[in-house]
Amino acid sequence: MSTTRIASIRLKTALPGPRSLALAARRDAAIPRGIGHATPIYAAGAKGALLTDMDGNVLIDFAGGIGTMNVGHANPEVVRAAAAQLERFTHTCFSVAPYEGYVALAEKLNSIAPGRGTKKTMLANSGAEALENAVKIARRATGREAVVVFEHAFHGRTLLTMSMTSKVRPYKHGFGPFAPEVYRLPYPYEYRDRARASAAPLEEFFLTQVAADKVACVVIELVLGEGGFVVAPREYVDALARICREHGILLVADEVQTGFGRTGKMFACEHYGLEPDLVTMAKSLAGGLPLSAITGRADVMDAAQVGGLGGTYTGNPVACAAALAAIAFLEEHRLVERAAAIGRTVEARFRSFSERFPFIGDERGLGAMRALEIVRDRAGREPDKDRTDRVLRHAYERGLLLLSAGTFGNVIRTLMPLVITDDELAEGLDVLEHALETA
Ligand SMILES: Cc1ncc(COP(=O)(O)O)c(C=O)c1O
């Protein structure tokens, strides 16, 4: 381990400290238990890739608000733009008195989203709402009802997106009945299921599960987010896109977690040369403010009737100003290239961890979106959620915020802000290595 760097992590108390513990007690009395927490640390401030808790402890953040903070916590450009917009006006509702920020952001997203044709964009509040609207638009554009999704998918917590999500516990258990006309394909998860990772059964799916001419859209995460950072193989995506085209099925790329530089390209689609009909975005779109977007083929996006799309807060002007500033910051500071460089550093360290620790079954990812899959032993590949939880606990107790993922809860994933310094990155990886040693 390197010891020459000036450490960023500063722990004044054991974690969680007394102030976090006191807030946890108030939280338990005031807030339902169903909202989970990755750590029991209460935030007091955050800047760049560092988070300070209520007890004055400084932690390195490899979670980034679940991939929301690509431009860093309290990014000064985002703060300035949002504050200036707050002063001008806070909200008029785009459906009452529209404003330039929404239009300018739509223009920007149309220009950077994958796909060469003419595009249009609508804005919403959350990732789930983006997926809801993508399905609405796809149904209206095709006149078809069925939606095809994947095993291990996560698309949100509303009725339709919960129905589209795969993981039963905790996301679906006891919350049914679910939305109809949702059909599920195996995800090409080569490490766990090589046999089903091929594109060959795709045609058969439309014979045995749902008729292709009833399907409005296929929704895919090119890299599974909550599902464990599994990267879909290029040949699979090529075959899927071809089959969708042949059957008039719209292809929706869910880039909520992969978008805005995370994978070392602005959008994961670019790794595949994929031009989806619709793209959903959220998370790092607006530097931490709640905003999501659906960008797609103009003819498809225009299918819905006037008044059929919208919402009171959708495309709030403060969030639009923040998003324009966040995208400008990404571009000016070349954070997409930075994500690729972070990914190379993390990949090299993860490879060395794999050599050291026999319980690491798989090391994978795309750009800065990297993961370790923890198993009981390499031959059996049985998921080891207990060890994964211990690693995460040891890590946060030593000042590193980390998240798990995966249907079996046995994947450790990295979602650090892309403004993280080399020293912070190395220090965080040292803490993770130590946590792997001791767990
Ligand atoms: C790929 C993907 N789609 C959709 C969502 C839902 O986003 P939100 O939590 O903003 O509703 C998420 C959230 O993690 C996600 O990762």
Side-chain angles (χ1 to χ4, degrees):
M1 267 202 224
S2 162
T3 49
T4 49
R5 280 177 253 114
I6 298 174
S8 296
I9 294 173
R10 272 177 288 130
L11 301 185
K12 296 183 174 171
T13 68
L15 296 177
R19 292 206 167 128
S20 283
L21 283 171
L23 269 165
R26 280 172 56 196
R27 175 253 178 266
D28 285 348
I31 297 168
R33 70 188 179 110
I35 300 167
H37 304 287
T39 74
I41 292 154
Y42 278 74
K47 190 86 195 130
L50 300 179
L51 185 143
T52 305
D53 77 359
M54 296 291 289
D55 295 283
N57 299 301
V58 180
L59 296 92
I60 292 177
D61 185 5
F62 274 15
I66 323 187
T68 302
M69 304 309 308
N70 284 5
V71 296
H73 290 287
N75 179 290
E77 299 298 323
V78 172
V79 171
R80 220 184 332 271
Q85 179 57 46
L86 273 167
E87 292 278 351
R88 279 194 296 278
F89 61 95
T90 311
H91 190 66
T92 58
C93 185
F94 194 67
S95 298
V96 176
Y99 37 86
E100 186 181 1
Y102 192 126
V103 179
L105 181 57
E107 288 168 347
K108 183 68 192 172
L109 293 176
N110 293 340
S111 75
I112 63 172
R116 282 162 299 183
T118 310
K119 284 168 268 173
K120 288 195 174 183
T121 290
M122 70 158 281
L123 302 175
N125 299 295
S126 65
E129 215 183 330
L131 270 299
E132 289 269 355
N133 279 284
V135 171
K136 273 171 72 172
I137 292 166
R139 284 178 167 161
R140 193 70 179 81
T142 57
R144 304 170 177 186
E145 290 184 349
V147 178
V148 174
V149 292
F150 286 85
E151 287 172 14
H152 308 290
F154 184 89
H155 297 297
R157 296 169 182 274
T158 58
L159 177 59
L160 176 60
T161 58
M162 174 176 63
S163 307
M164 292 163 66
T165 288
S166 175
K167 189 171 175 176
V168 175
R169 286 177 193 269
Y171 302 127
K172 303 171 78 155
H173 184 63
F175 296 144
F178 300 108
E181 290 306 313
V182 175
Y183 300 86
R184 202 172 297 284
L185 273 165
Y187 194 85
Y189 191 165
E190 289 182 304
Y191 175 68
R192 294 234 153 257
D193 201 348
R194 190 166 284 279
R196 295 201 304 164
S198 117
L202 278 174
E203 290 286 3
E204 196 180 310
F205 178 81
F206 295 115
L207 298 175
T208 60
Q209 303 295 317
V210 58
D213 65 2
K214 296 286 178 216
V215 178
C217 58
V218 173
V219 183
I220 186 166
E221 295 162 84
L222 295 167
V223 185
L224 289 175
E226 305 305 297
F229 283 23
V230 180
V231 185
R234 170 84 193 233
E235 320 77 70
Y236 185 93
V237 175
D238 286 350
L240 182 68
R242 179 180 45 74
I243 289 168
C244 284
R245 245 190 335 269
E246 281 168 11
H247 294 292
I249 298 169
L250 299 177
L251 185 56
V252 181
D254 182 352
E255 294 250 19
V256 165
Q257 195 154 159
T258 48
F260 301 98
R262 172 63 44 193
T263 67
K265 301 270 187 199
M266 189 59 100
F267 294 98
C269 285
E270 295 166 35
H271 290 282
Y272 295 83
L274 179 67
E275 299 193 29
D277 299 293
L278 298 170
V279 187
T280 53
M281 305 163 234
K283 293 203 186 279
S284 276
L285 165 61
L289 274 84
L291 187 69
S292 62
I294 308 98
T295 299
R297 275 170 41 195
D299 58 325
V300 172
M301 292 294 292
D302 270 334
Q305 61 277 20
V306 175
L309 305 176
T312 305
Y313 285 117
T314 52
N316 166 273
V318 181
C320 286
L324 284 164
I327 297 168
F329 189 91
L330 271 174
E331 290 179 338
E332 275 162 32
H333 294 263
R334 308 178 76 82
L335 289 188
V336 178
E337 287 94 321
R338 175 70 185 146
I342 290 171
R344 284 191 293 275
T345 302
V346 177
E347 185 179 11
R349 285 294 292 275
F350 278 14
R351 285 234 170 99
S352 76
F353 297 171
S354 291
E355 282 160 23
R356 274 194 72 191
F357 305 111
F359 52 80
I360 295 177
D362 195 23
E363 178 281 310
R364 58 176 177 251
L366 201 54
M369 199 170 177
R370 303 218 74 83
L372 297 171
E373 178 150 358
I374 309 295
V375 292
R376 292 202 191 282
D377 70 88
R378 281 197 181 145
R381 299 188 177 186
E382 192 188 332
D384 194 345
K385 178 177 177 346
D386 292 343
R387 190 189 290 270
T388 309
D389 290 343
R390 287 200 301 277
V391 174
L392 297 191
R393 203 187 64 244
H394 285 303
Y396 93 71
E397 285 173 354
R398 289 172 180 80
L400 176 67
L401 288 177
L402 260 183
L403 294 175
S404 65
T407 301
F408 314 104
N410 69 322
V411 176
I412 293 169
R413 58 172 157 168
T414 62
L415 287 167
M416 62 285 282
L418 303 176
V419 294
I420 194 166
T421 65
D422 287 341
D423 281 356
E424 289 162 353
L425 181 61
E427 187 181 350
L429 289 166
D430 287 349
V431 174
L432 174 55
E433 183 167 12
H434 193 242
L436 289 163
E437 264 163 23
T438 44

